[in-house]
Amino acid sequence: MANVVWHKNFRILLDLTRDDLDHPEFPGLWDLIYTADRFYGRRGVPVSERDLQCGGVCRDMGVEAPMHLRMRGGRREAVHERREDEERHSVPMSDEHKAYQERILRAAHEGGFGGDSEVRTRVGRTWIQTDTLVEGADGRRIGWEVQLSTIDERGLRGVRARVGKAAKNGITPAWHTDRAAYAQRNDTHWTRSDRLPAHLIARNGDLRIVSGFRALDFWHCDTSALYPCPHGIRRCGKAHATPTPRDVFFDDMVRQTAAGTIVPIQFRAGSTVHRYWVTSADRDRLDDLDSDDTRLPPERDTAPATGASRNRPTCRPATDPLTVHAPHDLPYVPALPTQSAAPAIESAPPATAQHASRAHQVSDGTIGLPSELIMLQQAAEDAHLKLQHLDDHHDRDLQRRVWREAAEAVQAAVTHYARTKRLNRHEVEARLRQLVRNPTQ
């Protein structure tokens, strides 16, 4: 028996514990559905060909379980057609499962967080039931699901659906298991510990998570690198991240996910997307690594200049590279942001004598780009490089703002210069970056 029924034709969930079946907009809904089901029964229509299915555990697992209605002792009941569907609702919780629930709550309370087990959360017209829901900092909600029993692929089909429902309701799914086959799946962020008896899980000893948590190793793709280039070439000279397995204590995992210092990520390796738990600092560094200053920040003024075309010329009199003579009327470029008030972070390097000398080396008559543009681009490159070597989260936030403002100054100066000289902006920008990043070419 079940209290939640799915009506195939109406495509709604019916809660038999409520007088209006949780649909006050449809008065008399119970009488209509019950009368129709009784009519089908008198006509000998099989239960599998009627309109009702289990809307609880069976539907969450992706199983279509036909049901029929009855009244017993003045109480409404929905009955499964098959015994195996009924047994799916009455599977007893193992002692190990209970021990994990108790340990999650104990670890959360020791960290100053609240929580409860078997929490039923409303999502639209349906519900999700979470094994253990931890209420973390800043409104963060971590939904721990413990999966220890051996079930087939059909039973695991509902994992992605349950994860999607939890995410839509603001719950971060955290699935834990002791089966290696489950931990290798990519439908959610799985963690795994060794298979242990209930009394060892429940006690205060060290319980380790041996799979699911990663430390990101950041490295430069040069001749001294230990890892192969993920792009399949010899050495590209860029920065990459490689996830390496790390053990973490289960209690620390519960508390730090609630505090937000351990977070889930999706890491792409080739065409495969892996789901790991990492520290928030590693997540921020990975976001910086994946970011590109060609897209950040956007240009302030995107309106095309009067009489100029954004398209590349259809014909060219010569195939020589871009040659522009340094103008004497370069427009005024806003200064770079000043020193931040935080003592741990330095602002983007201004156009100092070092930048000026470096700009003088690459700005000559054959190149033709003004030294002011080169100094601005060099300042932005230095700010971005400094960001990659910071570990403190607060310092990185401040330096990230410095880098964005420096990049904005470059974008604005390049746009103004290209429009003034009636040049293709993309070519000017590409040439400028080539000069600063590869001055010998």
Side-chain angles (χ1 to χ4, degrees):
M1 292 182 292
N3 293 325
V4 181
V5 180
W6 171 256
H7 199 291
K8 294 190 298 182
N9 289 342
F10 295 165
R11 304 192 63 80
I12 57 176
L13 286 170
L14 311 173
D15 187 355
L16 302 186
T17 62
R18 303 174 69 96
D19 293 337
D20 56 4
L21 304 185
D22 201 30
H23 292 279
E25 68 276 15
F26 300 134
L29 183 59
W30 165 256
D31 294 334
L32 173 64
I33 294 176
Y34 181 69
T35 302
D37 188 68
R38 297 290 293 175
F39 175 76
Y40 288 146
R42 288 193 297 268
R43 296 296 299 270
V45 178
V47 176
S48 59
E49 298 179 7
R50 303 184 193 179
D51 302 328
L52 304 177
Q53 293 179 355
C54 176
V57 174
C58 299
R59 188 165 186 265
D60 289 342
M61 297 178 65
V63 178
E64 295 183 358
M67 306 189 76
H68 65 88
L69 301 177
R70 72 183 180 188
M71 293 290 296
R72 174 172 291 183
R75 187 180 65 177
R76 305 167 180 172
E77 291 182 351
V79 184
H80 289 86
E81 179 189 28
R82 299 185 295 265
R83 180 180 297 274
E84 57 267 25
D85 295 332
E86 187 71 30
E87 292 175 351
R88 191 176 294 110
H89 290 255
S90 58
V91 175
M93 185 182 300
S94 65
D95 293 338
E96 290 78 12
H97 193 286
K98 296 177 182 177
Y100 268 114
Q101 288 185 321
E102 294 173 359
R103 180 148 191 165
I104 291 172
L105 291 179
R106 183 173 68 247
H109 292 158
E110 290 175 355
F113 306 107
D116 199 1
S117 296
E118 302 301 329
V119 179
R120 199 180 190 192
T121 306
R122 186 67 175 270
V123 181
R125 290 294 184 182
T126 184
W127 299 267
I128 54 174
Q129 184 160 325
T130 308
D131 283 348
T132 307
L133 184 64
V134 177
E135 301 289 345
D138 301 325
R140 194 174 290 104
R141 308 172 75 194
I142 310 297
W144 284 92
E145 300 286 351
V146 180
Q147 181 61 57
L148 306 179
S149 60
T150 302
I151 56 179
D152 55 16
E153 283 294 321
R154 188 181 68 172
L156 280 172
R157 283 189 307 173
V159 172
R160 189 177 297 274
R162 294 176 63 184
V163 168
K165 288 182 180 179
K168 289 180 180 179
N169 200 49
I171 298 176
T172 301
W175 287 65
H176 186 74
T177 184
D178 58 6
R179 310 299 170 99
Y182 297 169
Q184 295 172 1
R185 295 168 59 92
N186 282 329
D187 45 14
T188 186
H189 293 79
W190 289 89
T191 54
R192 181 177 69 87
S193 58
D194 294 330
R195 192 173 302 184
L196 300 171
H199 70 278
L200 292 180
I201 298 173
R203 72 180 189 180
N204 291 326
D206 294 338
L207 176 61
R208 289 182 178 271
I209 290 178
V210 297
S211 174
F213 180 80
R214 295 289 189 274
L216 297 183
D217 189 4
F218 295 88
W219 52 280
H220 287 277
C221 191
D222 53 22
T223 56
S224 62
L226 299 177
Y227 303 101
C229 180
H231 299 318
I233 59 180
R234 296 188 63 182
R235 290 302 169 193
C236 65
K238 298 181 180 179
H240 302 295
T242 298
T244 57
R246 290 289 188 276
D247 289 358
V248 62
F249 289 124
F250 184 82
D251 294 349
D252 292 340
M253 184 77 178
V254 173
R255 288 189 285 263
Q256 293 189 45
T257 51
T261 54
I262 291 182
V263 295
I265 65 166
Q266 296 185 19
F267 187 88
R268 179 175 294 276
S271 59
T272 305
V273 176
H274 301 279
R275 290 170 170 84
Y276 301 131
W277 294 90
V278 300
T279 63
S280 57
D282 279 356
R283 189 267 317 272
D284 292 340
R285 294 191 66 183
L286 182 63
D287 291 342
D288 292 335
L289 184 64
D290 294 337
S291 64
D292 188 349
D293 59 354
T294 61
R295 299 190 302 268
L296 294 175
E299 296 180 20
R300 294 181 180 272
D301 184 10
T302 59
T306 304
S309 173
R310 286 184 175 272
N311 300 327
R312 296 172 63 90
T314 57
C315 61
R316 303 181 64 124
T319 59
D320 296 336
L322 175 67
T323 302
V324 187
H325 296 288
H328 298 287
D329 55 345
L330 183 70
Y332 170 77
V333 179
L336 295 178
T338 58
Q339 180 77 15
S340 172
I345 292 294
E346 297 177 4
S347 61
T352 58
Q354 179 183 1
H355 293 157
S357 61
R358 194 178 307 173
H360 179 71
Q361 296 174 5
V362 298
S363 179
D364 54 25
T366 60
I367 294 173
L369 290 183
S371 59
E372 290 83 350
L373 285 181
I374 298 173
M375 287 190 292
L376 289 174
Q377 180 67 30
Q378 185 62 53
E381 296 287 341
D382 292 345
H384 193 201
L385 181 62
K386 182 177 178 61
L387 177 64
Q388 297 177 359
H389 291 83
L390 294 177
D391 295 325
D392 184 76
H393 182 68
H394 177 68
D395 292 348
R396 291 178 61 81
D397 283 342
L398 295 177
Q399 184 64 22
R400 189 181 295 108
R401 288 196 295 268
V402 171
W403 166 53
R404 289 171 182 262
E405 291 174 359
E408 282 186 357
V410 177
Q411 295 284 341
V414 170
T415 300
H416 194 101
Y417 175 74
R419 288 178 181 172
T420 302
K421 298 303 174 183
R422 297 294 184 92
L423 299 173
N424 185 288
R425 187 195 180 283
H426 173 74
E427 293 183 353
V428 174
E429 184 178 23
R431 183 59 175 160
L432 177 62
R433 289 181 180 170
Q434 180 185 8
L435 293 176
V436 174
R437 297 174 182 177
N438 300 291
T440 60
Q441 297 182 1

